[in-house]
């Protein structure tokens, strides 16, 4: 089940968050080795639209056994977003055949206007 988290970003700002994925088995919690996983994430105006407003750049930590990855939008990407609330999600896919796909993060992304240009 995905964590549901809303974020705010100003137009023209860098947006960057770090996630650390855990594997919980009973009472034992370990960080998930994300070596064999791929990630993707998109921002859209709403859940029904086909148009992608922005795509996240997702970078795995150099030590993938830490379960850490960074999800980011550049200042150029956020400058192109209108002032409004968007929806986003980040998905993780295994390299299995067929792949196991899980949404790990989702929510709203509110874009604030910028007065300094």
């Amino acid at each position: 089940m995905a964590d549901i988290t809303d974020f705010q970003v100003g137009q023209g700002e860098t947006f960057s968050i770090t996630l650390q994925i855990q594997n919980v088995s009973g009472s034992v919690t370990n960080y998930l080795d994300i070596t064999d996983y791929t990630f993707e994430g998109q921002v859209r105006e709403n859940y029904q639209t086909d148009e992608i407003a922005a795509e996240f750049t997702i970078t795995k930590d150099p030590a993938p056994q830490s379960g850490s990855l960074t999800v980011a939008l550049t200042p150029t990407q956020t400058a192109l977003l209108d002032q409004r609330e968007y929806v986003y999600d980040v998905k993780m896919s295994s390299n299995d055949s067929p792949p196991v796909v899980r949404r790990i993060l989702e929510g709203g992304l509110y874009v604030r206007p910028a007065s300094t240009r």
Side-chain angles (χ1 to χ4, degrees):
M1 185 163 156
D3 282 343
I4 301 173
T5 306
D6 295 334
F7 294 104
Q8 291 188 24
V9 64
Q11 289 173 323
E13 292 180 353
T14 300
F15 174 81
S16 180
I17 59 167
T18 300
L19 305 176
Q20 195 163 33
I21 302 171
Q22 296 179 338
N23 186 17
V24 179
S25 179
S27 62
V28 178
T29 301
N30 296 309
Y31 295 114
L32 180 66
D33 184 340
I34 57 175
T35 300
D36 294 328
Y37 289 87
T38 57
F39 298 87
E40 64 180 330
Q42 299 175 343
V43 178
R44 296 179 188 259
E45 287 188 15
N46 58 58
Y47 290 107
Q48 289 75 35
T49 187
D50 290 332
E51 183 179 328
I52 299 169
E55 289 194 65
F56 292 112
T57 298
I58 301 175
T59 309
K60 294 180 191 179
D61 187 282
Q65 65 275 12
S66 72
S68 292
L69 58 118
T70 301
V71 177
L73 295 172
T74 66
T76 301
Q77 288 176 295
T78 62
L80 294 172
L81 296 174
D82 295 327
Q83 175 191 352
R84 60 168 296 149
E85 185 170 352
Y86 293 85
V87 295
Y88 77 91
D89 64 16
V90 176
K91 291 182 180 180
M92 172 176 92
S93 300
S94 71
N95 287 336
D96 298 328
S97 183
V100 175
V101 179
R102 292 217 164 89
R103 199 169 14 182
I104 57 173
L105 187 65
E106 66 179 304
L109 179 70
Y110 181 76
V111 178
R112 301 180 321 274
S115 59
T116 303
R117 293 180 180 86

